[in-house]
Amino acid sequence: MKKIALLITLFMYTELHAQKPTVNAPVPSPAQLQWQQMDFYMFVHFGPNTFTDLEWGKGTEPEDVFNPTNLDCGQWCRIAIAAGAKGIIITAKHHDGFCLWPSKYSTHTVAQSKWRNGKGDVLRELSDSCKKYGLKVGVYLSPWDRNHPKYGTPEYNDVFINMMKEVVSNYGPFFEFWWDGANGEGPNGKKQVYDWHRFEQTIRTIAPNTIVFSDIGPDVRWVGNEKGIAGDPNWNLLDTAGFTRGAGAPSTDTLNHGNLNGKNWIPAECDVSIRPGWFYHKEEDDKVKTPEELFQLYLKSVGRGANLLLNVPPDREGLIDAHDSAALVGFKKLRDESFYKPIADKKFTEASSTYTIDLNQSQKINCVVLKENIATGQKIKSFTVQLVSGNKVVNELHGNTIGKKRILTFPSTKADSIVIKVNEAKATPLLTDVSAYSIDESLIEKE
Ligand code: FUL
């Protein structure tokens, strides 16, 4: 028995020790890999709901309701940059069907409103501003449309496809295209049978490098909650066969964790609002998440290998409110102060089952950041971080997956070296980066 155990241990050791990382399919596409490095970007919910105080507009709101008195997408961009966000995704059309651009395929758009005498175009202004400020721009287009007279008939699928083509050709390229899975009733009381197959074919043809989000991808999946929290484990893999978007999606638990042996590379995105609602409501001005709360969300999203899509809704002027911008600047400051000066930062190029980081002297640390080389697949199933002081393990942390980035926080511990042990992996893994920090004790992860 003992011999067998020894042989298995030896086999596992040689499997994992000091080798080149092997490719373990599925792997990310170059566009997904690039998108995964973005970590954090902003969501903007803006439209008639901003003016009616609703979350789901009925689709019957007069177009004139939409009337931002002082719209400035440059302000959104400046705030996004101050927050360290890499891009902005806007609700170009929410469930009420109102288009923030003058669409040829709807009569419920900015062009029918009195705003700027019907000449206003939010999507134009945002895409131009993002270009100017070096931010990426993305678009949310709700397939559910409570206004469009064709909704509930096969012709509506053509309308939706035409709208996709219209926004891509006039305002693209987009880094991300967001398909909301909601499917309710339209103006004639009918639900639409979405032609997802054609929607997918269309977007792949007209925007092959755009990352497409929906509950089940094809490129990015919903994380299964709107709280901004990814699971541990968080696999970038998902099985989609037999599932559909919306009601037919995998369980929220599956979306939260992914599938260990999933057939498709579909990483998670954590969408969450800085306020209780997705749209701006004045009475929520004092309910904006604090920098500390945002930092906790960062640990639970980006810190678990997902991307964070943080919604910051502009007000009726068309500006981001001072409560939100202050919280965002505070959030950035906490990240900067925490991560700008590592106590140790070591890069690795050889795959191994054990990684040792010498801290040179005894140091107080409470945060370790690990990065797995996901270009060859996500492999690590279970790992241990040992904090060592004078050859004694003084603290030991356990985790499941690592993925593109894993941030672990723990009560401050004095250590002179850190040992990372890969306990279980799907194939020979490579940790590319291990860094250690001493962050403000009040910021360590809370349940
Ligand atoms: C949901 C929508 O119903 C909400 O209004 C919001 O847009 C959120 C991001 O997605 O499905």
Side-chain angles (χ1 to χ4, degrees):
M1 234 10 228
K2 264 192 188 159
K3 258 191 188 163
I4 294 172
L6 188 71
L7 276 174
I8 292 173
T9 317
L10 265 175
F11 173 73
M12 278 177 59
Y13 184 78
T14 40
E15 257 293 281
L16 293 174
H17 197 74
Q19 291 177 37
K20 289 277 166 243
T22 48
V23 174
N24 190 244
V27 298
S29 69
Q32 284 175 315
L33 205 51
Q34 215 188 7
W35 173 90
Q36 293 195 255
Q37 301 314 320
M38 287 178 72
D39 278 358
F40 160 52
Y41 36 89
M42 249 164 62
F43 215 176
V44 165
H45 275 64
F46 191 47
N49 296 338
T50 312
F51 303 86
T52 54
D53 258 336
L54 294 177
E55 278 291 308
W56 280 6
K58 297 186 174 59
T60 50
E61 296 78 15
E63 289 81 25
D64 287 345
V65 153
F66 183 79
N67 188 23
T69 48
N70 200 11
L71 178 77
D72 180 4
C73 296
Q75 187 241 17
W76 308 358
C77 290
R78 289 188 292 277
I79 290 169
I81 287 171
K86 298 288 190 313
I88 298 180
I89 300 179
I90 186 164
T91 54
K93 178 175 84 117
H94 202 252
H95 309 329
D96 56 31
F98 186 80
C99 302
L100 296 185
W101 80 101
S103 176
K104 279 200 297 208
Y105 305 99
S106 166
T107 52
H108 192 50
T109 81
V110 278
Q112 284 77 39
S113 76
K114 287 205 199 93
W115 177 59
R116 293 186 179 166
N117 298 319
K119 299 274 177 289
D121 183 342
V122 184
L123 207 45
R124 164 70 52 230
E125 189 160 330
L126 180 63
S127 67
D128 287 353
S129 298
C130 282
K131 214 172 278 161
K132 175 171 162 200
Y133 286 98
L135 289 167
K136 295 191 176 181
V137 64
V139 74
Y140 165 119
L141 216 57
S142 168
W144 182 22
D145 193 316
R146 303 178 91 178
N147 172 273
H148 206 287
K150 294 263 162 64
Y151 188 87
T153 73
E155 288 107 293
Y156 175 78
N157 288 323
D158 296 316
V159 169
F160 191 70
I161 284 175
N162 284 330
M163 286 182 173
M164 288 202 293
K165 288 183 178 165
E166 190 175 42
V167 295
V168 167
S169 62
N170 292 334
Y171 310 97
F174 297 119
F175 80 95
E176 183 170 333
F177 210 101
W178 227 86
W179 283 335
D180 198 303
N183 180 358
E185 290 167 0
N188 45 23
K190 289 193 206 140
K191 276 194 188 176
Q192 180 70 25
V193 180
Y194 299 135
D195 192 343
W196 286 116
H197 184 64
R198 267 180 73 211
F199 296 174
E200 262 191 55
Q201 275 184 331
T202 304
I203 197 78
R204 279 290 188 253
T205 310
I206 62 175
N209 296 318
T210 297
I211 289 293
V212 180
F213 167 98
S214 83
D215 296 335
I216 54 168
D219 300 312
V220 180
R221 73 173 193 268
W222 182 45
V223 77
N225 63 63
E226 292 181 338
K227 295 191 203 133
I229 301 177
D232 177 32
N234 173 23
W235 290 100
N236 291 304
L237 313 174
L238 190 72
D239 285 321
T240 54
F243 292 105
T244 56
R245 295 165 175 99
S251 73
T252 50
D253 189 57
T254 300
L255 292 172
N256 196 240
H257 292 289
N259 295 119
L260 162 67
N261 292 314
K263 303 261 183 310
N264 313 286
W265 187 274
I266 308 181
E269 179 184 80
C270 300
D271 61 320
V272 60
S273 186
I274 196 165
R275 290 162 171 256
W278 290 100
F279 285 87
Y280 178 84
H281 309 292
K282 184 141 197 60
E283 72 273 12
E284 293 180 355
D285 278 355
D286 58 355
K287 297 198 175 71
V288 172
K289 292 186 175 62
T290 62
E292 290 73 19
E293 286 170 327
L294 294 173
F295 190 87
Q296 287 296 313
L297 288 182
Y298 182 80
L299 293 179
K300 291 176 174 146
S301 54
V302 175
R304 293 182 185 172
N307 274 6
L308 172 61
L309 172 58
L310 179 63
N311 179 62
V312 185
D315 64 11
R316 291 181 183 181
E317 276 192 86
L319 298 172
I320 292 173
D321 186 81
H323 291 83
D324 308 65
S325 54
L328 288 166
V329 170
F331 173 38
K332 172 73 161 46
K333 191 160 173 265
L334 293 182
R335 273 148 48 228
D336 284 350
E337 286 168 357
S338 300
F339 300 118
Y340 122 90
K341 212 169 157 237
I343 286 173
D345 185 4
K346 199 151 178 215
K347 313 262 184 260
F348 296 93
T349 50
E350 290 282 322
S352 177
S353 58
T354 306
Y355 299 79
T356 304
I357 296 92
D358 194 349
L359 300 179
N360 294 324
Q361 61 190 62
S362 183
Q363 311 243 27
K364 232 169 81 177
I365 63 167
N366 58 8
C367 176
V368 171
V369 180
L370 309 171
K371 292 182 187 170
E372 182 178 351
N373 172 24
I374 57 168
T376 55
Q378 185 184 6
K379 297 164 189 169
I380 296 167
K381 285 165 84 172
S382 137
F383 67 94
T384 306
V385 176
Q386 294 181 330
L387 302 166
V388 181
S389 181
N391 294 328
K392 245 183 76 193
V393 177
V394 286
N395 196 354
E396 198 167 71
L397 314 155
H398 299 277
N400 296 302
T401 50
I402 292 180
K404 64 146 179 178
K405 189 183 276 185
R406 185 69 203 265
I407 308 176
L408 295 160
T409 62
F410 44 90
S412 283
T413 307
K414 271 194 141 190
D416 49 46
S417 64
I418 305 169
V419 179
I420 321 289
K421 292 196 164 159
V422 177
N423 305 320
E424 263 188 288
K426 289 173 71 177
T428 310
L430 168 64
L431 279 186
T432 55
D433 206 303
V434 178
S435 48
Y437 304 83
S438 176
I439 69 173
D440 193 301
E441 198 72 23
S442 68
L443 294 176
I444 64 174
E445 191 172 321
K446 295 170 189 71
E447 269 318 301

